[in-house]
Amino acid sequence: MTTKQKAEKLHKKVNTFILTCVGTDGYPLSKAVVPGKHRESINEMYFCTNTSSNFAVEINKNPKASVYFYSRKLLVWKGCMLKGKMEIVSDLTIKEKYWQNKFKDAYPQKSYTDPDFCLLKFVPEYGRLYSNYTLEDFEI
């Protein structure tokens, strides 16, 4: 199994993702998010937030970002950090695909068409997987 395949397997299992971007002050800005509705591949990942969030504002200014996800079972830690570019999705067809009914209470229009519903698309270029006390770098 390749390192990328191991990262893909971990990506499909975990329940928390940490998104990080570069703030205009030069410091990292991080936020925890739940996994998206669809997790096909680490080649292209989608996350939901609010258009009004600091994170979305910063991504509009600088697309450099990273995504970190991990699993901890007893004494076994596995984690993967991906570096790449993030953008805000404006295509309503894609936004509809990632919309979940449980989001209705968070948005006044109760729909993926709400202007504050923000879908982020992350495309990684590089990854680092930590597993069994070993680090493995890989290209996407």
Side-chain angles (χ1 to χ4, degrees):
M1 183 179 291
T2 68
T3 303
K4 184 179 176 194
Q5 288 170 328
K6 292 176 198 173
E8 291 273 5
K9 187 176 176 182
L10 180 63
H11 163 255
K12 290 185 167 109
K13 287 182 180 180
V14 300
N15 293 316
T16 302
F17 292 80
I18 308 295
L19 309 183
T20 302
C21 67
V22 180
T24 51
D25 61 2
Y27 287 94
L29 178 65
S30 298
K31 73 183 296 173
V33 295
V34 295
K37 185 176 180 181
H38 304 283
R39 289 193 258 182
E40 291 94 1
S41 165
I42 61 171
N43 292 336
E44 190 174 277
M45 301 166 73
Y46 291 87
F47 303 97
C48 301
T49 190
N50 297 80
T51 305
S52 59
S53 72
N54 287 339
F55 197 89
V57 170
E58 297 297 347
I59 287 297
N60 260 332
K61 295 176 186 172
N62 184 347
K64 291 181 180 178
S66 69
V67 173
Y68 185 79
F69 48 95
Y70 66 94
S71 171
R72 178 181 175 215
K73 293 183 181 176
L74 300 174
L75 299 175
V76 179
W77 282 80
K78 292 181 182 181
C80 185
M81 182 274 307
L82 302 171
K83 287 183 186 178
K85 302 270 175 50
M86 194 169 289
E87 66 183 65
I88 294 175
V89 175
S90 57
D91 184 320
L92 287 178
T93 305
I94 298 170
K95 288 177 80 169
E96 181 180 23
K97 178 180 177 180
Y98 288 91
W99 174 261
Q100 297 180 52
N101 282 333
K102 66 182 179 182
F103 295 159
K104 285 183 178 181
D105 292 337
Y107 298 96
Q109 292 185 10
K110 302 194 181 309
S111 167
Y112 64 93
T113 59
D114 191 297
D116 200 35
F117 175 65
C118 181
L119 183 64
L120 301 170
K121 175 184 173 182
F122 178 71
V123 178
E125 300 164 0
Y126 162 87
R128 174 171 275 183
L129 181 70
Y130 173 81
S131 178
N132 299 319
Y133 307 106
T134 304
L135 288 173
E136 298 177 68
D137 294 330
F138 61 100
E139 300 288 325
I140 306 291

